[in-house]
Amino acid sequence: MADTQAGAVKRAVVTGASSGIGAAAVRALRASGWDVLGVARRAERLEALAQETGAAVFAADLTSQADVDALAAHVAATGGLHALVHVAGGARGTDRVEDGDPDDWTWMYEVNVLSGQRLVRALLPQLREAIRSGASHADTLFVTSTASQVAYPGGGGYNAAKAGEAMLVHALRQELNGEPVRVIEIAPGMVHTEEFTLNRVGDAAAADALYEGVDGPLLAEDVADVIAYALNAPRHVNLDLVTMRPVAQSAQHLLARGPLKPRD
């Protein structure tokens, strides 16, 4: 259960809240006692999540500085902040480096790296203010990917973007040394969500084929459980980096298809 400071339940901003891991994180944090402000571009999906969970919501495009500034003003006006959970991101295309579309690479950098920097710049002052007002600590948590750790053919743009986001996290943790602000990175491998792969490849059959025969890919709820644990852990415990994969995925390139069973 989220602890309270001066009688108030702790509050988190969760980005990417309209679907997948972001929406699951909103549910998990609400279930463990947090106030949550879910953020995404699609207002209609946010409203449905608000009705389901009781979370507050705010529609914003995190590649827009004006939208991020409006989000920061809204957070300040409605109760402040104890945790930033940055889930929003995405991938476009599976082209080789030589064939990639620079516009896709630019988009991936903006949504995975610059959005995180914009949010830290806008919301870190409010996390510090929560501490000055009596909170024992504050949290920043970023969902990156195992794509930030291991390159693979057809993943160059996403590898580069997620590696950039991971480096942002590593630098931020060092820059905040001496402050009671935890900087947490969760790096999932294969996660079966309704939109990520479909948005990347643009074809439902190709998206389904990626997961075909895999005995238990991660689900959004699995990642959300780790997010909730990380934020609810004792204040002196920082999960610097949690790499998550399904048992069927022993490495980025090594994926078992078919039932998992003992070798004869």
Side-chain angles (χ1 to χ4, degrees), residues 25 66-67 133 157 163 186 190 225:
D67 279 17
S133 298
I186 311 297
M190 174 179 274
D225 284 345

Side-chain angles (χ1 to χ4, degrees), residues 100-182:
D101 184 339
D103 289 340
D104 287 344
W105 284 53
T106 298
W107 179 85
M108 285 187 279
Y109 189 80
E110 288 180 343
V111 301
N112 292 289
V113 183
L114 290 183
S115 63
Q117 190 273 334
R118 291 180 193 275
L119 287 164
V120 170
R121 183 177 180 182
L123 296 178
L124 184 56
Q126 297 193 45
L127 295 173
R128 287 178 171 138
E129 184 56 34
I131 297 166
R132 294 189 188 102
S133 298
S136 63
H137 66 284
D139 290 297
T140 62
L141 186 151
F142 300 81
V143 176
T144 61
S145 169
T146 54
S148 71
Q149 303 169 6
V150 181
Y152 54 91
Y158 189 56
N159 290 143
K162 281 301 185 184
E165 184 181 8
M167 286 298 108
L168 179 156
V169 176
H170 300 169
L172 179 65
R173 185 179 300 114
Q174 295 177 51
E175 291 166 357
L176 296 182
N177 181 251
E179 300 187 55
V181 181
R182 300 189 295 193

